Amino acid sequence: TDKKYGCSPEKRPIKQLIEYGIINLNKPSGPSSHLVSDYVQKILNINKSGHSGTLDPKVTGVLPIALSKATRIVQTLLPSGKEYIATMKLHKPIEKKQIEKTFEKFTGEIQQLPPVRSAVKRRIRPRTVYYMEILEIKDDLILFKVGCEAGTYIRKLIHDMGKYMGKGAHMSQLVRTKAGPFNDKNWHSLQDLKDAFEIYKEKGNEKPLRKVIEPFENAIKFLPKVWILDSAVSNICHGAPLALQDISKLTDDIQQDSLIAVMTLKEELVCLGNSNMDSKKILK
């Protein structure tokens, strides 16, 4: 592909990376998600940022923060699956067998009524719990891991499980360990971001900052993709639809009427779009 246009996301100049970057932030306990996003703006001296999937003030863990022109990408992360490590406090002692049966009962599709204080309309709605794993039981505390559909309230899940067991339970601690493609293996604190930015400003050393800020393309790793020829990029950016002859390659998991990412051959994200065909039909 033509070297005069664009570049691999990892090789973007640092100022461009800040404009089109995303941070896998480990949210601290205390401030709201909105306030944490505001702290990021102040540290980097930018006027726009957006977070994906609100966490309660006391909850910690993975909170992806998109920067400047990358904020539009958070729409793809909002419906993606989440994983948490939670601590359930039982109100009365319960036998281990009954606890295990309850965890099995609440795995799969469940019916959940959002809590009184929530961002959505309060009506019963189906939610999917992909998996639950008990990590430890000690006295009246249960430490467990849960993977679930976006919009599942863990505090309410624990309350409903306690009610089902007939003894009552509440959530005493919660950490989000996954949100879409981001997890706790490579998250960064606000302090990490501040230190990295100060090193860049004072010494011109970009390395620590590049460790913290990722290209926003990392947010759409889980989406089906098509890669297009260089000659088609400008046309699409000016509103033209994507024609079959402009596609260079594609993934085999594209479904009709599904959200896909359109990429350049240098792995840059051009746009998001709805596919009118599935992978087999495109290839044919």
Side-chain angles (χ1 to χ4, degrees), residues 192-228:
D192 292 337
L193 176 65
K194 186 165 176 58
D195 291 346
F197 193 63
E198 290 302 317
I199 289 167
Y200 163 64
K201 278 200 305 182
E202 290 171 18
K203 300 179 181 178
N205 183 359
E206 300 176 359
K207 205 173 175 183
L209 196 56
R210 285 186 180 275
K211 226 177 184 179
V212 178
I213 303 175
E214 305 177 35
F216 77 142
E217 281 84 356
N218 288 2
I220 47 97
K221 280 180 178 176
F222 63 98
L223 282 181
K225 297 176 185 65
V226 295
W227 287 262
I228 61 171

PDB file of all heavy atoms in Angstrom, residues 192-228:
ATOM      1  N   ASP A 192      -0.493   6.003  36.633  1.00  0.00           N
ATOM      2  CA  ASP A 192       0.349   5.531  35.517  1.00  0.00           C
ATOM      3  C   ASP A 192       0.273   6.510  34.351  1.00  0.00           C
ATOM      4  O   ASP A 192       1.282   6.852  33.734  1.00  0.00           O
ATOM      5  CB  ASP A 192      -0.119   4.151  35.015  1.00  0.00           C
ATOM      6  CG  ASP A 192       0.113   3.043  36.026  1.00  0.00           C
ATOM      7  OD1 ASP A 192       0.995   3.213  36.892  1.00  0.00           O
ATOM      8  OD2 ASP A 192      -0.586   2.018  35.946  1.00  0.00           O
ATOM      9  N   LEU A 193      -0.958   6.952  34.043  1.00  0.00           N
ATOM     10  CA  LEU A 193      -1.170   7.887  32.930  1.00  0.00           C
ATOM     11  C   LEU A 193      -0.481   9.219  33.208  1.00  0.00           C
ATOM     12  O   LEU A 193       0.214   9.752  32.335  1.00  0.00           O
ATOM     13  CB  LEU A 193      -2.672   8.096  32.713  1.00  0.00           C
ATOM     14  CG  LEU A 193      -3.060   9.133  31.649  1.00  0.00           C
ATOM     15  CD1 LEU A 193      -2.612   8.691  30.250  1.00  0.00           C
ATOM     16  CD2 LEU A 193      -4.571   9.382  31.657  1.00  0.00           C
ATOM     17  N   LYS A 194      -0.648   9.736  34.426  1.00  0.00           N
ATOM     18  CA  LYS A 194      -0.045  11.039  34.782  1.00  0.00           C
ATOM     19  C   LYS A 194       1.481  10.955  34.712  1.00  0.00           C
ATOM     20  O   LYS A 194       2.131  11.841  34.142  1.00  0.00           O
ATOM     21  CB  LYS A 194      -0.501  11.463  36.178  1.00  0.00           C
ATOM     22  CG  LYS A 194      -0.035  12.872  36.544  1.00  0.00           C
ATOM     23  CD  LYS A 194      -0.771  13.408  37.725  1.00  0.00           C
ATOM     24  CE  LYS A 194      -0.249  14.774  38.154  1.00  0.00           C
ATOM     25  NZ  LYS A 194      -0.330  15.787  37.091  1.00  0.00           N
ATOM     26  N   ASP A 195       2.061   9.896  35.268  1.00  0.00           N
ATOM     27  CA  ASP A 195       3.526   9.722  35.249  1.00  0.00           C
ATOM     28  C   ASP A 195       4.049   9.628  33.818  1.00  0.00           C
ATOM     29  O   ASP A 195       5.045  10.264  33.465  1.00  0.00           O
ATOM     30  CB  ASP A 195       3.925   8.458  36.019  1.00  0.00           C
ATOM     31  CG  ASP A 195       3.696   8.589  37.524  1.00  0.00           C
ATOM     32  OD1 ASP A 195       3.483   9.725  37.989  1.00  0.00           O
ATOM     33  OD2 ASP A 195       3.731   7.556  38.227  1.00  0.00           O
ATOM     34  N   ALA A 196       3.366   8.836  32.988  1.00  0.00           N
ATOM     35  CA  ALA A 196       3.788   8.643  31.597  1.00  0.00           C
ATOM     36  C   ALA A 196       3.732   9.953  30.819  1.00  0.00           C
ATOM     37  O   ALA A 196       4.632  10.255  30.022  1.00  0.00           O
ATOM     38  CB  ALA A 196       2.907   7.592  30.924  1.00  0.00           C
ATOM     39  N   PHE A 197       2.686  10.759  31.061  1.00  0.00           N
ATOM     40  CA  PHE A 197       2.536  12.028  30.337  1.00  0.00           C
ATOM     41  C   PHE A 197       3.584  13.048  30.794  1.00  0.00           C
ATOM     42  O   PHE A 197       4.113  13.808  29.971  1.00  0.00           O
ATOM     43  CB  PHE A 197       1.120  12.590  30.526  1.00  0.00           C
ATOM     44  CG  PHE A 197       0.793  13.717  29.581  1.00  0.00           C
ATOM     45  CD1 PHE A 197       0.767  13.510  28.206  1.00  0.00           C
ATOM     46  CD2 PHE A 197       0.497  14.986  30.069  1.00  0.00           C
ATOM     47  CE1 PHE A 197       0.466  14.551  27.334  1.00  0.00           C
ATOM     48  CE2 PHE A 197       0.194  16.030  29.205  1.00  0.00           C
ATOM     49  CZ  PHE A 197       0.174  15.818  27.829  1.00  0.00           C
ATOM     50  N   GLU A 198       3.899  13.033  32.090  1.00  0.00           N
ATOM     51  CA  GLU A 198       4.937  13.945  32.602  1.00  0.00           C
ATOM     52  C   GLU A 198       6.307  13.594  32.017  1.00  0.00           C
ATOM     53  O   GLU A 198       7.090  14.475  31.663  1.00  0.00           O
ATOM     54  CB  GLU A 198       4.981  13.881  34.142  1.00  0.00           C
ATOM     55  CG  GLU A 198       3.781  14.501  34.846  1.00  0.00           C
ATOM     56  CD  GLU A 198       3.552  15.965  34.500  1.00  0.00           C
ATOM     57  OE1 GLU A 198       4.534  16.728  34.451  1.00  0.00           O
ATOM     58  OE2 GLU A 198       2.387  16.337  34.258  1.00  0.00           O
ATOM     59  N   ILE A 199       6.610  12.289  31.928  1.00  0.00           N
ATOM     60  CA  ILE A 199       7.893  11.841  31.340  1.00  0.00           C
ATOM     61  C   ILE A 199       7.983  12.283  29.876  1.00  0.00           C
ATOM     62  O   ILE A 199       9.031  12.737  29.402  1.00  0.00           O
ATOM     63  CB  ILE A 199       8.039  10.299  31.462  1.00  0.00           C
ATOM     64  CG1 ILE A 199       8.269   9.911  32.926  1.00  0.00           C
ATOM     65  CG2 ILE A 199       9.186   9.770  30.596  1.00  0.00           C
ATOM     66  CD1 ILE A 199       8.119   8.421  33.216  1.00  0.00           C
ATOM     67  N   TYR A 200       6.842  12.183  29.160  1.00  0.00           N
ATOM     68  CA  TYR A 200       6.815  12.610  27.748  1.00  0.00           C
ATOM     69  C   TYR A 200       7.039  14.122  27.640  1.00  0.00           C
ATOM     70  O   TYR A 200       7.816  14.588  26.803  1.00  0.00           O
ATOM     71  CB  TYR A 200       5.472  12.213  27.119  1.00  0.00           C
ATOM     72  CG  TYR A 200       5.164  12.937  25.836  1.00  0.00           C
ATOM     73  CD1 TYR A 200       5.950  12.765  24.689  1.00  0.00           C
ATOM     74  CD2 TYR A 200       4.080  13.829  25.760  1.00  0.00           C
ATOM     75  CE1 TYR A 200       5.664  13.449  23.521  1.00  0.00           C
ATOM     76  CE2 TYR A 200       3.795  14.508  24.601  1.00  0.00           C
ATOM     77  CZ  TYR A 200       4.583  14.315  23.479  1.00  0.00           C
ATOM     78  OH  TYR A 200       4.312  15.001  22.325  1.00  0.00           O
ATOM     79  N   LYS A 201       6.366  14.907  28.502  1.00  0.00           N
ATOM     80  CA  LYS A 201       6.487  16.374  28.445  1.00  0.00           C
ATOM     81  C   LYS A 201       7.884  16.848  28.819  1.00  0.00           C
ATOM     82  O   LYS A 201       8.454  17.730  28.184  1.00  0.00           O
ATOM     83  CB  LYS A 201       5.463  17.028  29.386  1.00  0.00           C
ATOM     84  CG  LYS A 201       4.072  17.141  28.787  1.00  0.00           C
ATOM     85  CD  LYS A 201       3.209  18.188  29.490  1.00  0.00           C
ATOM     86  CE  LYS A 201       3.106  17.954  30.980  1.00  0.00           C
ATOM     87  NZ  LYS A 201       2.243  18.926  31.664  1.00  0.00           N
ATOM     88  N   GLU A 202       8.434  16.267  29.895  1.00  0.00           N
ATOM     89  CA  GLU A 202       9.721  16.744  30.412  1.00  0.00           C
ATOM     90  C   GLU A 202      10.929  16.186  29.664  1.00  0.00           C
ATOM     91  O   GLU A 202      11.912  16.898  29.454  1.00  0.00           O
ATOM     92  CB  GLU A 202       9.839  16.373  31.901  1.00  0.00           C
ATOM     93  CG  GLU A 202       8.878  17.173  32.786  1.00  0.00           C
ATOM     94  CD  GLU A 202       8.841  16.661  34.214  1.00  0.00           C
ATOM     95  OE1 GLU A 202       9.775  15.937  34.610  1.00  0.00           O
ATOM     96  OE2 GLU A 202       7.871  16.978  34.929  1.00  0.00           O
ATOM     97  N   LYS A 203      10.851  14.916  29.254  1.00  0.00           N
ATOM     98  CA  LYS A 203      12.028  14.284  28.642  1.00  0.00           C
ATOM     99  C   LYS A 203      11.839  13.911  27.179  1.00  0.00           C
ATOM    100  O   LYS A 203      12.782  13.459  26.520  1.00  0.00           O
ATOM    101  CB  LYS A 203      12.406  13.026  29.434  1.00  0.00           C
ATOM    102  CG  LYS A 203      12.740  13.323  30.895  1.00  0.00           C
ATOM    103  CD  LYS A 203      13.074  12.049  31.649  1.00  0.00           C
ATOM    104  CE  LYS A 203      13.382  12.357  33.120  1.00  0.00           C
ATOM    105  NZ  LYS A 203      13.669  11.134  33.873  1.00  0.00           N
ATOM    106  N   GLY A 204      10.610  14.061  26.673  1.00  0.00           N
ATOM    107  CA  GLY A 204      10.356  13.703  25.273  1.00  0.00           C
ATOM    108  C   GLY A 204      10.322  12.197  25.044  1.00  0.00           C
ATOM    109  O   GLY A 204      10.340  11.738  23.908  1.00  0.00           O
ATOM    110  N   ASN A 205      10.273  11.422  26.149  1.00  0.00           N
ATOM    111  CA  ASN A 205      10.253   9.960  26.039  1.00  0.00           C
ATOM    112  C   ASN A 205       8.801   9.479  25.869  1.00  0.00           C
ATOM    113  O   ASN A 205       7.984   9.575  26.770  1.00  0.00           O
ATOM    114  CB  ASN A 205      10.874   9.348  27.296  1.00  0.00           C
ATOM    115  CG  ASN A 205      10.948   7.830  27.233  1.00  0.00           C
ATOM    116  OD1 ASN A 205      10.516   7.210  26.265  1.00  0.00           O
ATOM    117  ND2 ASN A 205      11.504   7.225  28.269  1.00  0.00           N
ATOM    118  N   GLU A 206       8.490   8.957  24.670  1.00  0.00           N
ATOM    119  CA  GLU A 206       7.117   8.545  24.352  1.00  0.00           C
ATOM    120  C   GLU A 206       6.772   7.136  24.850  1.00  0.00           C
ATOM    121  O   GLU A 206       5.606   6.770  24.933  1.00  0.00           O
ATOM    122  CB  GLU A 206       6.896   8.558  22.831  1.00  0.00           C
ATOM    123  CG  GLU A 206       7.094   9.904  22.181  1.00  0.00           C
ATOM    124  CD  GLU A 206       6.962   9.827  20.665  1.00  0.00           C
ATOM    125  OE1 GLU A 206       6.729   8.707  20.132  1.00  0.00           O
ATOM    126  OE2 GLU A 206       7.093  10.871  20.013  1.00  0.00           O
ATOM    127  N   LYS A 207       7.788   6.337  25.152  1.00  0.00           N
ATOM    128  CA  LYS A 207       7.582   4.906  25.411  1.00  0.00           C
ATOM    129  C   LYS A 207       6.546   4.619  26.505  1.00  0.00           C
ATOM    130  O   LYS A 207       5.618   3.837  26.302  1.00  0.00           O
ATOM    131  CB  LYS A 207       8.921   4.243  25.738  1.00  0.00           C
ATOM    132  CG  LYS A 207       8.942   2.759  25.438  1.00  0.00           C
ATOM    133  CD  LYS A 207      10.337   2.183  25.620  1.00  0.00           C
ATOM    134  CE  LYS A 207      10.303   0.668  25.435  1.00  0.00           C
ATOM    135  NZ  LYS A 207      11.617   0.050  25.680  1.00  0.00           N
ATOM    136  N   PRO A 208       6.672   5.237  27.722  1.00  0.00           N
ATOM    137  CA  PRO A 208       5.685   4.946  28.774  1.00  0.00           C
ATOM    138  C   PRO A 208       4.253   5.332  28.363  1.00  0.00           C
ATOM    139  O   PRO A 208       3.307   4.619  28.683  1.00  0.00           O
ATOM    140  CB  PRO A 208       6.157   5.787  29.961  1.00  0.00           C
ATOM    141  CG  PRO A 208       7.608   6.046  29.701  1.00  0.00           C
ATOM    142  CD  PRO A 208       7.728   6.146  28.216  1.00  0.00           C
ATOM    143  N   LEU A 209       4.117   6.451  27.639  1.00  0.00           N
ATOM    144  CA  LEU A 209       2.785   6.914  27.225  1.00  0.00           C
ATOM    145  C   LEU A 209       2.176   5.978  26.178  1.00  0.00           C
ATOM    146  O   LEU A 209       0.982   5.706  26.200  1.00  0.00           O
ATOM    147  CB  LEU A 209       2.877   8.343  26.680  1.00  0.00           C
ATOM    148  CG  LEU A 209       1.562   9.119  26.553  1.00  0.00           C
ATOM    149  CD1 LEU A 209       0.824   9.191  27.893  1.00  0.00           C
ATOM    150  CD2 LEU A 209       1.798  10.519  26.011  1.00  0.00           C
ATOM    151  N   ARG A 210       3.005   5.461  25.287  1.00  0.00           N
ATOM    152  CA  ARG A 210       2.537   4.507  24.271  1.00  0.00           C
ATOM    153  C   ARG A 210       2.100   3.186  24.910  1.00  0.00           C
ATOM    154  O   ARG A 210       1.314   2.436  24.342  1.00  0.00           O
ATOM    155  CB  ARG A 210       3.618   4.247  23.224  1.00  0.00           C
ATOM    156  CG  ARG A 210       3.802   5.391  22.233  1.00  0.00           C
ATOM    157  CD  ARG A 210       4.766   5.047  21.120  1.00  0.00           C
ATOM    158  NE  ARG A 210       4.914   6.156  20.201  1.00  0.00           N
ATOM    159  CZ  ARG A 210       4.101   6.410  19.179  1.00  0.00           C
ATOM    160  NH1 ARG A 210       3.079   5.612  18.940  1.00  0.00           N
ATOM    161  NH2 ARG A 210       4.301   7.443  18.384  1.00  0.00           N
ATOM    162  N   LYS A 211       2.634   2.901  26.089  1.00  0.00           N
ATOM    163  CA  LYS A 211       2.239   1.695  26.829  1.00  0.00           C
ATOM    164  C   LYS A 211       0.823   1.844  27.388  1.00  0.00           C
ATOM    165  O   LYS A 211       0.059   0.886  27.442  1.00  0.00           O
ATOM    166  CB  LYS A 211       3.228   1.466  27.976  1.00  0.00           C
ATOM    167  CG  LYS A 211       3.703   0.027  28.096  1.00  0.00           C
ATOM    168  CD  LYS A 211       4.731  -0.072  29.200  1.00  0.00           C
ATOM    169  CE  LYS A 211       5.287  -1.485  29.267  1.00  0.00           C
ATOM    170  NZ  LYS A 211       6.300  -1.624  30.305  1.00  0.00           N
ATOM    171  N   VAL A 212       0.507   3.080  27.808  1.00  0.00           N
ATOM    172  CA  VAL A 212      -0.784   3.351  28.441  1.00  0.00           C
ATOM    173  C   VAL A 212      -1.886   3.620  27.405  1.00  0.00           C
ATOM    174  O   VAL A 212      -3.005   3.128  27.535  1.00  0.00           O
ATOM    175  CB  VAL A 212      -0.679   4.546  29.425  1.00  0.00           C
ATOM    176  CG1 VAL A 212      -2.020   4.863  30.062  1.00  0.00           C
ATOM    177  CG2 VAL A 212       0.353   4.255  30.512  1.00  0.00           C
ATOM    178  N   ILE A 213      -1.568   4.410  26.372  1.00  0.00           N
ATOM    179  CA  ILE A 213      -2.569   4.751  25.352  1.00  0.00           C
ATOM    180  C   ILE A 213      -2.449   3.788  24.170  1.00  0.00           C
ATOM    181  O   ILE A 213      -1.397   3.684  23.551  1.00  0.00           O
ATOM    182  CB  ILE A 213      -2.410   6.210  24.870  1.00  0.00           C
ATOM    183  CG1 ILE A 213      -2.506   7.189  26.048  1.00  0.00           C
ATOM    184  CG2 ILE A 213      -3.485   6.545  23.824  1.00  0.00           C
ATOM    185  CD1 ILE A 213      -2.234   8.632  25.690  1.00  0.00           C
ATOM    186  N   GLU A 214      -3.536   3.101  23.871  1.00  0.00           N
ATOM    187  CA  GLU A 214      -3.560   2.147  22.758  1.00  0.00           C
ATOM    188  C   GLU A 214      -4.278   2.764  21.562  1.00  0.00           C
ATOM    189  O   GLU A 214      -5.129   3.645  21.730  1.00  0.00           O
ATOM    190  CB  GLU A 214      -4.329   0.875  23.163  1.00  0.00           C
ATOM    191  CG  GLU A 214      -3.821   0.197  24.408  1.00  0.00           C
ATOM    192  CD  GLU A 214      -4.687  -1.011  24.778  1.00  0.00           C
ATOM    193  OE1 GLU A 214      -5.186  -1.696  23.859  1.00  0.00           O
ATOM    194  OE2 GLU A 214      -4.849  -1.255  25.981  1.00  0.00           O
ATOM    195  N   PRO A 215      -3.985   2.302  20.346  1.00  0.00           N
ATOM    196  CA  PRO A 215      -4.766   2.756  19.183  1.00  0.00           C
ATOM    197  C   PRO A 215      -6.228   2.344  19.358  1.00  0.00           C
ATOM    198  O   PRO A 215      -6.511   1.273  19.887  1.00  0.00           O
ATOM    199  CB  PRO A 215      -4.133   2.002  18.003  1.00  0.00           C
ATOM    200  CG  PRO A 215      -2.803   1.537  18.490  1.00  0.00           C
ATOM    201  CD  PRO A 215      -2.928   1.344  19.964  1.00  0.00           C
ATOM    202  N   PHE A 216      -7.154   3.209  18.934  1.00  0.00           N
ATOM    203  CA  PHE A 216      -8.575   2.905  19.155  1.00  0.00           C
ATOM    204  C   PHE A 216      -9.041   1.692  18.359  1.00  0.00           C
ATOM    205  O   PHE A 216     -10.093   1.126  18.629  1.00  0.00           O
ATOM    206  CB  PHE A 216      -9.446   4.129  18.909  1.00  0.00           C
ATOM    207  CG  PHE A 216      -9.712   4.515  17.478  1.00  0.00           C
ATOM    208  CD1 PHE A 216     -10.961   4.990  17.104  1.00  0.00           C
ATOM    209  CD2 PHE A 216      -8.727   4.448  16.507  1.00  0.00           C
ATOM    210  CE1 PHE A 216     -11.223   5.369  15.791  1.00  0.00           C
ATOM    211  CE2 PHE A 216      -8.974   4.825  15.208  1.00  0.00           C
ATOM    212  CZ  PHE A 216     -10.234   5.288  14.840  1.00  0.00           C
ATOM    213  N   GLU A 217      -8.238   1.242  17.397  1.00  0.00           N
ATOM    214  CA  GLU A 217      -8.560   0.010  16.658  1.00  0.00           C
ATOM    215  C   GLU A 217      -8.628  -1.213  17.579  1.00  0.00           C
ATOM    216  O   GLU A 217      -9.301  -2.191  17.264  1.00  0.00           O
ATOM    217  CB  GLU A 217      -7.527  -0.249  15.554  1.00  0.00           C
ATOM    218  CG  GLU A 217      -7.699   0.575  14.300  1.00  0.00           C
ATOM    219  CD  GLU A 217      -7.073   1.957  14.363  1.00  0.00           C
ATOM    220  OE1 GLU A 217      -6.538   2.326  15.437  1.00  0.00           O
ATOM    221  OE2 GLU A 217      -7.103   2.677  13.360  1.00  0.00           O
ATOM    222  N   ASN A 218      -7.933  -1.153  18.724  1.00  0.00           N
ATOM    223  CA  ASN A 218      -7.953  -2.283  19.668  1.00  0.00           C
ATOM    224  C   ASN A 218      -9.343  -2.515  20.262  1.00  0.00           C
ATOM    225  O   ASN A 218      -9.630  -3.592  20.769  1.00  0.00           O
ATOM    226  CB  ASN A 218      -6.949  -2.053  20.801  1.00  0.00           C
ATOM    227  CG  ASN A 218      -5.513  -2.212  20.320  1.00  0.00           C
ATOM    228  OD1 ASN A 218      -5.259  -2.447  19.143  1.00  0.00           O
ATOM    229  ND2 ASN A 218      -4.553  -2.088  21.214  1.00  0.00           N
ATOM    230  N   ALA A 219     -10.197  -1.483  20.191  1.00  0.00           N
ATOM    231  CA  ALA A 219     -11.547  -1.609  20.746  1.00  0.00           C
ATOM    232  C   ALA A 219     -12.458  -2.450  19.861  1.00  0.00           C
ATOM    233  O   ALA A 219     -13.505  -2.925  20.325  1.00  0.00           O
ATOM    234  CB  ALA A 219     -12.167  -0.227  20.946  1.00  0.00           C
ATOM    235  N   ILE A 220     -12.079  -2.657  18.594  1.00  0.00           N
ATOM    236  CA  ILE A 220     -12.978  -3.396  17.685  1.00  0.00           C
ATOM    237  C   ILE A 220     -12.374  -4.734  17.256  1.00  0.00           C
ATOM    238  O   ILE A 220     -12.741  -5.289  16.226  1.00  0.00           O
ATOM    239  CB  ILE A 220     -13.373  -2.521  16.462  1.00  0.00           C
ATOM    240  CG1 ILE A 220     -12.151  -1.828  15.818  1.00  0.00           C
ATOM    241  CG2 ILE A 220     -14.383  -1.470  16.845  1.00  0.00           C
ATOM    242  CD1 ILE A 220     -11.592  -2.496  14.660  1.00  0.00           C
ATOM    243  N   LYS A 221     -11.460  -5.249  18.071  1.00  0.00           N
ATOM    244  CA  LYS A 221     -10.832  -6.545  17.761  1.00  0.00           C
ATOM    245  C   LYS A 221     -11.846  -7.666  17.604  1.00  0.00           C
ATOM    246  O   LYS A 221     -11.641  -8.606  16.844  1.00  0.00           O
ATOM    247  CB  LYS A 221      -9.833  -6.926  18.868  1.00  0.00           C
ATOM    248  CG  LYS A 221      -8.490  -6.233  18.741  1.00  0.00           C
ATOM    249  CD  LYS A 221      -7.570  -6.671  19.862  1.00  0.00           C
ATOM    250  CE  LYS A 221      -6.197  -6.022  19.724  1.00  0.00           C
ATOM    251  NZ  LYS A 221      -5.318  -6.365  20.844  1.00  0.00           N
ATOM    252  N   PHE A 222     -12.939  -7.602  18.356  1.00  0.00           N
ATOM    253  CA  PHE A 222     -13.926  -8.687  18.367  1.00  0.00           C
ATOM    254  C   PHE A 222     -14.937  -8.588  17.219  1.00  0.00           C
ATOM    255  O   PHE A 222     -15.749  -9.494  17.021  1.00  0.00           O
ATOM    256  CB  PHE A 222     -14.674  -8.708  19.713  1.00  0.00           C
ATOM    257  CG  PHE A 222     -15.474  -7.458  19.988  1.00  0.00           C
ATOM    258  CD1 PHE A 222     -16.832  -7.418  19.731  1.00  0.00           C
ATOM    259  CD2 PHE A 222     -14.856  -6.326  20.505  1.00  0.00           C
ATOM    260  CE1 PHE A 222     -17.570  -6.270  19.979  1.00  0.00           C
ATOM    261  CE2 PHE A 222     -15.589  -5.165  20.760  1.00  0.00           C
ATOM    262  CZ  PHE A 222     -16.950  -5.153  20.492  1.00  0.00           C
ATOM    263  N   LEU A 223     -14.932  -7.481  16.453  1.00  0.00           N
ATOM    264  CA  LEU A 223     -15.913  -7.312  15.375  1.00  0.00           C
ATOM    265  C   LEU A 223     -15.483  -8.029  14.100  1.00  0.00           C
ATOM    266  O   LEU A 223     -14.284  -8.098  13.790  1.00  0.00           O
ATOM    267  CB  LEU A 223     -16.085  -5.816  15.049  1.00  0.00           C
ATOM    268  CG  LEU A 223     -16.929  -4.949  15.972  1.00  0.00           C
ATOM    269  CD1 LEU A 223     -16.976  -3.523  15.440  1.00  0.00           C
ATOM    270  CD2 LEU A 223     -18.344  -5.486  16.131  1.00  0.00           C
ATOM    271  N   PRO A 224     -16.422  -8.538  13.300  1.00  0.00           N
ATOM    272  CA  PRO A 224     -16.074  -9.046  11.965  1.00  0.00           C
ATOM    273  C   PRO A 224     -15.511  -7.889  11.130  1.00  0.00           C
ATOM    274  O   PRO A 224     -15.886  -6.729  11.342  1.00  0.00           O
ATOM    275  CB  PRO A 224     -17.423  -9.519  11.400  1.00  0.00           C
ATOM    276  CG  PRO A 224     -18.346  -9.598  12.561  1.00  0.00           C
ATOM    277  CD  PRO A 224     -17.849  -8.624  13.577  1.00  0.00           C
ATOM    278  N   LYS A 225     -14.637  -8.204  10.174  1.00  0.00           N
ATOM    279  CA  LYS A 225     -13.945  -7.136   9.439  1.00  0.00           C
ATOM    280  C   LYS A 225     -13.859  -7.401   7.942  1.00  0.00           C
ATOM    281  O   LYS A 225     -13.832  -8.544   7.510  1.00  0.00           O
ATOM    282  CB  LYS A 225     -12.518  -6.963   9.963  1.00  0.00           C
ATOM    283  CG  LYS A 225     -12.426  -6.524  11.400  1.00  0.00           C
ATOM    284  CD  LYS A 225     -10.980  -6.455  11.877  1.00  0.00           C
ATOM    285  CE  LYS A 225     -10.896  -6.131  13.354  1.00  0.00           C
ATOM    286  NZ  LYS A 225     -11.470  -7.180  14.204  1.00  0.00           N
ATOM    287  N   VAL A 226     -13.799  -6.290   7.168  1.00  0.00           N
ATOM    288  CA  VAL A 226     -13.375  -6.350   5.768  1.00  0.00           C
ATOM    289  C   VAL A 226     -12.216  -5.365   5.608  1.00  0.00           C
ATOM    290  O   VAL A 226     -12.202  -4.304   6.240  1.00  0.00           O
ATOM    291  CB  VAL A 226     -14.506  -6.011   4.762  1.00  0.00           C
ATOM    292  CG1 VAL A 226     -15.601  -7.039   4.802  1.00  0.00           C
ATOM    293  CG2 VAL A 226     -15.075  -4.623   4.986  1.00  0.00           C
ATOM    294  N   TRP A 227     -11.233  -5.754   4.797  1.00  0.00           N
ATOM    295  CA  TRP A 227     -10.098  -4.875   4.486  1.00  0.00           C
ATOM    296  C   TRP A 227     -10.275  -4.387   3.059  1.00  0.00           C
ATOM    297  O   TRP A 227     -10.556  -5.192   2.155  1.00  0.00           O
ATOM    298  CB  TRP A 227      -8.777  -5.636   4.623  1.00  0.00           C
ATOM    299  CG  TRP A 227      -8.391  -5.909   6.045  1.00  0.00           C
ATOM    300  CD1 TRP A 227      -7.525  -5.188   6.807  1.00  0.00           C
ATOM    301  CD2 TRP A 227      -8.834  -6.996   6.872  1.00  0.00           C
ATOM    302  NE1 TRP A 227      -7.412  -5.753   8.062  1.00  0.00           N
ATOM    303  CE2 TRP A 227      -8.207  -6.867   8.135  1.00  0.00           C
ATOM    304  CE3 TRP A 227      -9.720  -8.070   6.680  1.00  0.00           C
ATOM    305  CZ2 TRP A 227      -8.413  -7.748   9.185  1.00  0.00           C
ATOM    306  CZ3 TRP A 227      -9.939  -8.957   7.736  1.00  0.00           C
ATOM    307  CH2 TRP A 227      -9.292  -8.794   8.961  1.00  0.00           C
ATOM    308  N   ILE A 228     -10.134  -3.074   2.856  1.00  0.00           N
ATOM    309  CA  ILE A 228     -10.417  -2.516   1.533  1.00  0.00           C
ATOM    310  C   ILE A 228      -9.153  -1.970   0.868  1.00  0.00           C
ATOM    311  O   ILE A 228      -8.153  -1.688   1.534  1.00  0.00           O
ATOM    312  CB  ILE A 228     -11.494  -1.413   1.619  1.00  0.00           C
ATOM    313  CG1 ILE A 228     -11.031  -0.236   2.507  1.00  0.00           C
ATOM    314  CG2 ILE A 228     -12.809  -1.978   2.139  1.00  0.00           C
ATOM    315  CD1 ILE A 228     -11.947   0.968   2.474  1.00  0.00           C
TER     316      ILE A 228
END
